[in-house]
PDB file of all heavy atoms in Angstrom:
ATOM      1  N   VAL A 335     101.838  88.692  79.437  1.00  0.00           N
ATOM      2  CA  VAL A 335     101.782  87.669  78.386  1.00  0.00           C
ATOM      3  C   VAL A 335     103.063  87.740  77.567  1.00  0.00           C
ATOM      4  O   VAL A 335     103.429  88.801  77.067  1.00  0.00           O
ATOM      5  CB  VAL A 335     100.548  87.870  77.469  1.00  0.00           C
ATOM      6  CG1 VAL A 335     100.537  86.822  76.364  1.00  0.00           C
ATOM      7  CG2 VAL A 335      99.260  87.809  78.269  1.00  0.00           C
ATOM      8  N   VAL A 336     103.716  86.591  77.451  1.00  0.00           N
ATOM      9  CA  VAL A 336     104.928  86.484  76.633  1.00  0.00           C
ATOM     10  C   VAL A 336     104.679  85.485  75.509  1.00  0.00           C
ATOM     11  O   VAL A 336     103.662  84.791  75.503  1.00  0.00           O
ATOM     12  CB  VAL A 336     106.148  86.049  77.491  1.00  0.00           C
ATOM     13  CG1 VAL A 336     106.455  87.091  78.567  1.00  0.00           C
ATOM     14  CG2 VAL A 336     105.941  84.679  78.118  1.00  0.00           C
ATOM     15  N   LYS A 337     105.591  85.437  74.571  1.00  0.00           N
ATOM     16  CA  LYS A 337     105.439  84.535  73.424  1.00  0.00           C
ATOM     17  C   LYS A 337     105.331  83.083  73.888  1.00  0.00           C
ATOM     18  O   LYS A 337     104.433  82.363  73.490  1.00  0.00           O
ATOM     19  CB  LYS A 337     106.608  84.711  72.453  1.00  0.00           C
ATOM     20  CG  LYS A 337     106.526  83.852  71.235  1.00  0.00           C
ATOM     21  CD  LYS A 337     106.434  84.697  69.990  1.00  0.00           C
ATOM     22  CE  LYS A 337     106.315  83.838  68.774  1.00  0.00           C
ATOM     23  NZ  LYS A 337     104.993  83.841  68.196  1.00  0.00           N
ATOM     24  N   GLU A 338     106.288  82.666  74.723  1.00  0.00           N
ATOM     25  CA  GLU A 338     106.296  81.265  75.176  1.00  0.00           C
ATOM     26  C   GLU A 338     107.028  81.144  76.502  1.00  0.00           C
ATOM     27  O   GLU A 338     108.050  81.793  76.705  1.00  0.00           O
ATOM     28  CB  GLU A 338     106.990  80.394  74.116  1.00  0.00           C
ATOM     29  CG  GLU A 338     106.887  78.922  74.369  1.00  0.00           C
ATOM     30  CD  GLU A 338     107.464  78.087  73.221  1.00  0.00           C
ATOM     31  OE1 GLU A 338     107.757  78.631  72.150  1.00  0.00           O
ATOM     32  OE2 GLU A 338     107.620  76.880  73.434  1.00  0.00           O
ATOM     33  N   ILE A 339     106.470  80.322  77.401  1.00  0.00           N
ATOM     34  CA  ILE A 339     107.148  80.031  78.657  1.00  0.00           C
ATOM     35  C   ILE A 339     107.448  78.542  78.708  1.00  0.00           C
ATOM     36  O   ILE A 339     106.759  77.732  78.080  1.00  0.00           O
ATOM     37  CB  ILE A 339     106.322  80.448  79.906  1.00  0.00           C
ATOM     38  CG1 ILE A 339     104.934  79.815  79.904  1.00  0.00           C
ATOM     39  CG2 ILE A 339     106.236  81.933  80.034  1.00  0.00           C
ATOM     40  CD1 ILE A 339     104.098  80.120  81.139  1.00  0.00           C
ATOM     41  N   GLU A 340     108.488  78.195  79.440  1.00  0.00           N
ATOM     42  CA  GLU A 340     108.813  76.775  79.590  1.00  0.00           C
ATOM     43  C   GLU A 340     107.775  76.143  80.513  1.00  0.00           C
ATOM     44  O   GLU A 340     107.321  76.764  81.477  1.00  0.00           O
ATOM     45  CB  GLU A 340     110.227  76.584  80.129  1.00  0.00           C
ATOM     46  CG  GLU A 340     110.430  77.038  81.562  1.00  0.00           C
ATOM     47  CD  GLU A 340     111.828  76.811  82.088  1.00  0.00           C
ATOM     48  OE1 GLU A 340     112.727  77.547  81.671  1.00  0.00           O
ATOM     49  OE2 GLU A 340     111.992  75.892  82.924  1.00  0.00           O
ATOM     50  N   THR A 341     107.353  74.956  80.181  1.00  0.00           N
ATOM     51  CA  THR A 341     106.364  74.255  81.002  1.00  0.00           C
ATOM     52  C   THR A 341     106.875  72.847  81.291  1.00  0.00           C
ATOM     53  O   THR A 341     107.775  72.350  80.627  1.00  0.00           O
ATOM     54  CB  THR A 341     105.003  74.150  80.274  1.00  0.00           C
ATOM     55  OG1 THR A 341     105.186  73.475  79.036  1.00  0.00           O
ATOM     56  CG2 THR A 341     104.405  75.524  80.029  1.00  0.00           C
ATOM     57  N   ASP A 342     106.260  72.234  82.305  1.00  0.00           N
ATOM     58  CA  ASP A 342     106.565  70.830  82.567  1.00  0.00           C
ATOM     59  C   ASP A 342     105.254  70.061  82.648  1.00  0.00           C
ATOM     60  O   ASP A 342     104.178  70.629  82.486  1.00  0.00           O
ATOM     61  CB  ASP A 342     107.429  70.659  83.825  1.00  0.00           C
ATOM     62  CG  ASP A 342     106.790  71.210  85.085  1.00  0.00           C
ATOM     63  OD1 ASP A 342     105.574  71.006  85.266  1.00  0.00           O
ATOM     64  OD2 ASP A 342     107.497  71.826  85.889  1.00  0.00           O
ATOM     65  N   ALA A 343     105.337  68.786  82.903  1.00  0.00           N
ATOM     66  CA  ALA A 343     104.159  67.907  82.869  1.00  0.00           C
ATOM     67  C   ALA A 343     103.084  68.309  83.878  1.00  0.00           C
ATOM     68  O   ALA A 343     101.913  68.006  83.689  1.00  0.00           O
ATOM     69  CB  ALA A 343     104.591  66.462  83.097  1.00  0.00           C
ATOM     70  N   ASN A 344     103.467  68.974  84.968  1.00  0.00           N
ATOM     71  CA  ASN A 344     102.499  69.353  86.003  1.00  0.00           C
ATOM     72  C   ASN A 344     101.767  70.656  85.706  1.00  0.00           C
ATOM     73  O   ASN A 344     100.801  70.990  86.376  1.00  0.00           O
ATOM     74  CB  ASN A 344     103.202  69.491  87.359  1.00  0.00           C
ATOM     75  CG  ASN A 344     103.787  68.185  87.827  1.00  0.00           C
ATOM     76  OD1 ASN A 344     103.231  67.126  87.585  1.00  0.00           O
ATOM     77  ND2 ASN A 344     104.932  68.253  88.469  1.00  0.00           N
ATOM     78  N   ASP A 345     102.234  71.425  84.733  1.00  0.00           N
ATOM     79  CA  ASP A 345     101.633  72.727  84.413  1.00  0.00           C
ATOM     80  C   ASP A 345     100.357  72.531  83.605  1.00  0.00           C
ATOM     81  O   ASP A 345     100.370  71.934  82.532  1.00  0.00           O
ATOM     82  CB  ASP A 345     102.617  73.595  83.619  1.00  0.00           C
ATOM     83  CG  ASP A 345     103.819  74.018  84.451  1.00  0.00           C
ATOM     84  OD1 ASP A 345     103.668  74.167  85.673  1.00  0.00           O
ATOM     85  OD2 ASP A 345     104.901  74.209  83.869  1.00  0.00           O
ATOM     86  N   ILE A 346      99.261  73.053  84.128  1.00  0.00           N
ATOM     87  CA  ILE A 346      97.959  72.929  83.478  1.00  0.00           C
ATOM     88  C   ILE A 346      97.684  74.210  82.681  1.00  0.00           C
ATOM     89  O   ILE A 346      97.654  75.297  83.259  1.00  0.00           O
ATOM     90  CB  ILE A 346      96.828  72.697  84.518  1.00  0.00           C
ATOM     91  CG1 ILE A 346      97.153  71.514  85.440  1.00  0.00           C
ATOM     92  CG2 ILE A 346      95.481  72.547  83.823  1.00  0.00           C
ATOM     93  CD1 ILE A 346      97.207  70.162  84.764  1.00  0.00           C
ATOM     94  N   PRO A 347      97.473  74.083  81.371  1.00  0.00           N
ATOM     95  CA  PRO A 347      97.206  75.278  80.559  1.00  0.00           C
ATOM     96  C   PRO A 347      95.780  75.790  80.756  1.00  0.00           C
ATOM     97  O   PRO A 347      94.891  75.065  81.195  1.00  0.00           O
ATOM     98  CB  PRO A 347      97.413  74.784  79.124  1.00  0.00           C
ATOM     99  CG  PRO A 347      97.089  73.324  79.196  1.00  0.00           C
ATOM    100  CD  PRO A 347      97.507  72.862  80.558  1.00  0.00           C
ATOM    101  N   MET A 348      95.584  77.042  80.400  1.00  0.00           N
ATOM    102  CA  MET A 348      94.268  77.664  80.431  1.00  0.00           C
ATOM    103  C   MET A 348      93.549  77.399  79.105  1.00  0.00           C
ATOM    104  O   MET A 348      94.175  77.080  78.103  1.00  0.00           O
ATOM    105  CB  MET A 348      94.394  79.185  80.616  1.00  0.00           C
ATOM    106  CG  MET A 348      95.149  79.632  81.857  1.00  0.00           C
ATOM    107  SD  MET A 348      94.284  79.253  83.392  1.00  0.00           S
ATOM    108  CE  MET A 348      95.076  77.727  83.897  1.00  0.00           C
TER     109      MET A 348
END
Side-chain angles (χ1 to χ4, degrees):
V335 178
V336 298
K337 181 118 182 107
E338 188 174 349
I339 55 177
E340 68 179 73
T341 58
D342 59 42
N344 297 326
D345 292 330
I346 307 294
M348 303 292 97

